[in-house]
Amino acid sequence: MTETRIYDLCALVRETSLSAHRFLRHGHSEKIYENALLHRLRKRGIDVKPQQPLPVFDEDGAELGLLFADLVVEEALIVEVKAVRQLVDEHTAQVLGYLRASRLEHGLLINFGAPVIQFKKFIVNEGWHQSVDA
C-alpha cells in the first residue's frame, strides 16, 4: 500500500471515529466503540477484520501464542480501541507488539473514553518506531 493510501486510510478511520464519538460520547465499553467503528467503516466499503489473531514467534521460529488486534483495516492498518480516562505507556506497548507480530508498519491507538477523543499514530519498520499524535 502506498504512503498516500495509508495516510488517506488513517484520515478516514479518524474521521469515522470522530463521528462515532460525537454520537455515542464517552462512557461506553471498549467493545461498543469497536463495534461502532467496525460497522461505520464497513458501511463505507472498507475491508475491516475484527479481533484478528496475530501469532507471536520466538527467535527460533516457535509460535508462542496469539495476540488479537481489535481491528485490521484493509490488511494494512492495525486499530486498537480503548475506552479509558487517559492513554498510558502500556497501551503504546500493546500496539507496538501488535505491529511487530503482524509485520504491518502502521497502527492507530484510539481512546473513546475521554471527553475529547484521543488518537496516536504509530509507524514501525526495521526495528524503529515513531509515534505521532494524530
Side-chain angles (χ1 to χ4, degrees):
M1 181 170 281
T2 67
E3 286 295 310
T4 300
R5 176 74 178 122
I6 194 72
Y7 288 112
D8 289 346
L9 189 58
C10 288
L12 177 64
V13 171
R14 281 192 302 269
E15 174 188 315
T16 305
S17 299
L18 283 167
S19 174
H21 191 262
R22 273 193 299 273
F23 179 74
L24 295 168
R25 303 190 186 267
H26 67 286
H28 296 287
S29 71
E30 180 180 305
K31 194 64 174 174
I32 296 296
Y33 298 112
E34 180 185 325
N35 288 339
L37 194 50
L38 174 68
H39 171 71
R40 289 168 180 243
L41 288 170
R42 283 183 171 167
K43 276 179 39 178
R44 296 180 95 161
I46 302 298
D47 177 40
V48 185
K49 293 183 178 79
Q51 295 302 312
Q52 187 69 25
L54 306 171
V56 178
F57 298 96
D58 203 348
E59 61 189 345
D60 65 0
E63 186 174 321
L64 301 174
L66 296 172
L67 299 173
F68 292 87
D70 286 341
L71 302 171
V72 176
V73 181
E74 295 284 327
E75 298 183 14
L77 175 67
I78 289 179
V79 177
E80 182 62 21
V81 175
K82 296 295 176 195
V84 294
R85 181 183 305 229
Q86 183 173 326
L87 293 172
V88 295
D89 291 343
E90 289 82 0
H91 300 136
T92 296
Q94 183 180 18
V95 175
L96 293 174
Y98 289 172
L99 291 171
R100 285 189 297 271
S102 69
R103 307 288 196 266
L104 294 177
E105 291 185 359
H106 298 272
L108 279 176
L109 174 59
I110 305 171
N111 181 23
F112 287 89
V116 176
I117 193 169
Q118 298 171 297
F119 298 94
K120 283 191 173 278
K121 167 80 169 84
F122 297 90
I123 303 169
V124 173
N125 60 24
E126 297 184 34
W128 67 273
H129 78 271
Q130 176 182 5
S131 170
V132 179
D133 289 324

